[in-house]
């Protein structure tokens, strides 16, 4: 691990301002992803700004009837919150499908959204990777691609976003609140927060340099049946080959978002109009434009079958 300096911020605005003063600064909270990447020499920050003491660890009701989730709320606490379990069960179930209990005890809401891909070539510093070293090439294209992306991919990158929580947030239409180094704040729709790779897969989110996430807000509850189904190679502590997060109403209408297939949680709102017609009709639109390899083409069938299972479960539970 390379040497770095360390400082604790006293407020979100101060944290963002301090980050702007030192080139190569990074924010750290739970550190469940960043520290691993530092040990592997993939992330090399010169300065760490600890944001754990910023009172961003609360879950509060909003005037509109939704929830405001502080950026530092731990995944365990968020999944266990009575309001989340009752009104946003998709989010609770997605969180519990991720990582291990020990990691969920440390991982934060903001950190979960910002975690980096688990593409094996990203983690192998002996292999070219445009996400790690822009312009170096993508070893996954023509290499081992079984767990990698089939939607929104580019000639520069076919990595996937690993977060289960983000899939639920996308289905629930969450909003990400931030503060910038000049003290101004803004709100970013979760649909616009994660970027597709294009020619710059190293730029993963809509955040500006040194912009700090302060909260994620959820709109009023949707009702309906909430299901998160994750298909993986191991029964636990494994990332999704594909996952389906859905909220389905009694009349068969609903929302669906996919994980494990793209550089961001994948949702096509136009496809949801076909929910009452069944999984095949929805999948045709969800998977339109898919670009597969010989190794990951199975994901097309897996998405349709998993969605069919989710729809069937929703009918039974309803």
């Amino acid at each position: 691990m390379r040497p770095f300096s360390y400082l604790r911020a006293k407020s979100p605005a101060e944290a963002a301002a301090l980050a702007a003063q030192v080139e190569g600064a990074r924010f750290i909270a739970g550190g469940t992803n960043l520290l691993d990447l530092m040990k592997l020499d993939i992330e090399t920050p010169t300065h760490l700004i600890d944001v754990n003491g910023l009172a961003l660890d609360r879950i509060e009701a909003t005037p509109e009837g939704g929830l405001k989730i502080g950026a530092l709320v731990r995944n365990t606490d968020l999944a266990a919150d009575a309001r989340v379990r009752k009104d946003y069960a998709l989010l609770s179930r997605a969180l519990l499908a991720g990582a291990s209990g020990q990691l969920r005890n440390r991982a934060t809401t903001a950190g979960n959204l910002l975690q980096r891909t688990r593409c094996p070539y990203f983690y192998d510093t002996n292999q070219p990777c445009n996400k790690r070293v822009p312009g170096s090439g993508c070893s996954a294209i023509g290499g081992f691609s079984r767990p990698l992306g089939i939607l929104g991919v580019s000639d520069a990158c076919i990595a996937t976003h690993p977060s289960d929580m983000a899939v639920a947030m996308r289905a629930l239409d969450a909003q990400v609140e931030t503060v910038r180094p000049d003290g101004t704040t803004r709100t970013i729709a979760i649909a616009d927060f994660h970027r597709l790779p294009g020619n710059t897969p190293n730029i993963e989110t809509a955040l500006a340099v040194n912009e700090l996430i302060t909260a994620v807000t959820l709109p009023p509850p949707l009702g309906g049946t909430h299901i998160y189904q994750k298909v993986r190679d191991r029964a636990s502590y494994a990332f999704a080959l594909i996952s389906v997060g859905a909220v389905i109403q009694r009349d068969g209408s609903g929302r669906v978002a996919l994980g494990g297939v793209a550089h961001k949680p994948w949702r096509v709102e136009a496809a949801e109009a076909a929910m009452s017609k069944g999984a095949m009709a929805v999948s045709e639109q969800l998977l339109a434009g898919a670009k597969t390899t010989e190794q990951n083409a199975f994901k097309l069938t897996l998405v349709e079958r998993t969605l069919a299972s989710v729809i069937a479960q929703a009918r039974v539970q309803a």
Side-chain angles (χ1 to χ4, degrees):
M1 187 180 288
R2 298 175 185 267
F4 57 86
S5 56
Y6 171 89
L7 182 68
R8 291 180 179 174
K10 297 179 181 178
S11 72
E14 182 189 65
L18 289 171
Q21 296 173 17
V22 182
E23 185 176 355
R26 291 292 305 275
F27 304 117
I28 187 167
T32 57
N33 190 202
L34 178 59
L35 290 178
D36 283 344
L37 295 175
M38 290 172 65
K39 293 173 185 177
L40 294 170
D41 213 27
I42 295 170
E43 294 271 9
T44 56
T46 59
H47 185 60
L48 291 183
I49 299 172
D50 191 330
V51 296
N52 279 295
L54 304 186
L56 299 176
D57 58 351
R58 301 183 180 93
I59 304 172
E60 302 170 312
T62 66
E64 297 77 22
L67 284 182
K68 181 175 182 178
I69 303 162
L72 298 176
V73 173
R74 306 294 167 171
N75 286 177
T76 294
D77 295 332
L78 182 56
D81 185 89
R83 293 161 294 183
V84 174
R85 292 176 63 190
K86 176 179 180 290
D87 295 327
Y88 305 95
L90 174 59
L91 177 57
S92 180
R93 290 167 182 168
L95 284 163
L96 293 174
S100 65
Q102 294 93 329
L103 284 172
R104 292 194 296 270
N105 287 343
R106 291 297 303 161
T108 63
T109 299
N112 195 310
L113 289 177
L114 293 172
Q115 62 181 303
R116 306 198 69 187
T117 185
R118 265 52 178 197
C119 174
Y121 297 103
F122 174 73
Y123 276 81
D124 185 350
T125 55
N126 293 311
Q127 300 291 331
C129 172
N130 288 319
K131 185 178 285 294
R132 181 169 23 85
V133 182
S136 62
C138 177
S139 299
I141 298 176
F144 177 68
S145 58
R146 181 174 181 271
L148 301 179
I150 61 173
L151 292 165
V153 298
S154 73
D155 292 337
C157 183
I158 60 172
T160 58
H161 194 274
S163 172
D164 294 293
M165 184 194 79
V167 177
M169 292 290 195
R170 179 66 182 91
L172 295 170
D173 279 335
Q175 302 274 326
V176 181
E177 298 183 2
T178 72
V179 62
R180 289 177 280 199
D182 63 2
T184 59
T185 62
R186 66 168 173 155
T187 299
I188 307 169
I190 193 69
D192 302 321
F193 183 77
H194 296 101
R195 292 167 47 114
L196 292 177
N199 294 321
T200 55
N202 56 302
I203 303 174
E204 299 173 347
T205 72
L207 292 175
V209 177
N210 303 317
E211 189 171 7
L212 176 69
I213 296 174
T214 56
V216 176
T217 58
L218 297 174
L222 291 170
T225 301
H226 292 224
I227 297 175
Y228 187 76
Q229 190 158 324
K230 181 177 180 179
V231 182
R232 44 190 163 176
D233 285 326
R234 297 193 304 270
S236 65
Y237 200 54
F239 296 98
L241 288 172
I242 70 102
S243 63
V244 174
V247 179
I248 301 177
Q249 306 299 332
R250 285 183 175 271
D251 63 3
S253 64
R255 300 180 180 185
V256 59
L258 304 178
V261 296
H263 211 247
K264 60 188 293 183
W266 194 260
R267 182 180 171 200
V268 179
E269 281 87 341
E272 294 167 0
M275 285 290 286
S276 60
K277 298 179 182 179
M280 181 178 295
V282 178
S283 297
E284 285 179 358
Q285 296 185 61
L286 267 178
L287 302 174
K291 185 177 179 181
T292 64
T293 69
E294 183 179 352
Q295 296 176 21
N296 66 18
F298 72 94
K299 289 192 175 188
L300 297 174
T301 303
L302 192 58
V303 166
E304 182 183 333
R305 291 179 178 176
T306 305
L307 179 55
S309 173
V310 166
I311 292 173
Q313 290 178 57
R315 287 172 179 164
V316 171
Q317 292 182 32

